[in-house]
Amino acid sequence: MIISALAFAMLNIGVKYLGKFNVYQIVFFRALGSLFFTYPFLIKKKIPIVGNRVKLLLLRSVIGLIAMILFFSSLKLLSTGSAVSIRYIAPIFAAVFALFILKERIKPIQWLFFLTAFVGVLMLKGFDFSSFGLGYVFALLSAIFTGLVFVLIRLIGNKDHPMVVVNYFMTLAFLVSGVLCIKYWITPEGWEWLMLLSLGVSGYFGQIYMTKAMQQSETRLVAPLKYIEVGFTMIAGVIWFHEGYTLLSVLGVILIVISLVLNVLVVKRS
């Protein structure tokens, strides 16, 4: 999950850099880049592309695509800090879904850790309440759907290879966004081609390692590690965009890390 968080942070930076492109075109290139990895791997390893749990694979793909489009759309309407902060409520929704769907037990103290981790995210990225509208709705819905994705991957379990799960998601995203982006297509120039294709590479590694994490560990343990992506995104922002961060932001990172460590300790002792 930590490797996944790093990869998704790179994806966030790429999306920010390519802000002039429509959300469907960004999703299209992200999916295209990932498919360069998934199909050759499945063919080489002779892994059935169709998979075993077809209905769950399709449902996970649909829910994941909706979550991705909603999040990228929220980035168009909100400041990056607001959109990212809201999206990180996802592990909390994942824990709730897991409680009812997977019957996973959650200790009361873990809810406190989830809350403090999210407070840390708010301290790090901040909220802009100057306007509250559709962008906030998109970000919140994205968080809900992302939480459900975590649980669906857990339901699929080891019945299907992680690459099959990712390939389903990227194939659906490629087909749907490919049709939707035709109307809004902007021809990339120079380095923009490479940047757009790199979204698929970072998205691929983020997706495959997140899938492995969710298949091999309980949702309540690995889902909160998604918060680490915020720290990675902050570091990348400093390096590439020369962003500055306040003392409050640094304290937010510390609070996130402490909350994650305590949550892991509680789960291991249960």
Side-chain angles (χ1 to χ4, degrees), residues 80-102:
T80 304
S82 296
V84 172
S85 295
I86 296 173
R87 189 184 67 165
Y88 279 94
I89 305 176
I92 299 175
F93 288 118
V96 175
F97 286 130
L99 178 65
F100 292 100
I101 299 176
L102 303 178

Side-chain angles (χ1 to χ4, degrees), residues 71-85:
F71 175 63
F72 287 166
S73 297
S74 71
L75 286 174
K76 300 286 184 179
L77 300 173
L78 297 175
S79 66
T80 304
S82 296
V84 172
S85 295

Side-chain angles (χ1 to χ4, degrees), residues 160-173:
D160 282 294
H161 193 281
M163 195 69 74
V164 174
V165 180
V166 174
N167 190 65
Y168 258 82
F169 178 30
M170 290 295 98
T171 299
L172 181 68

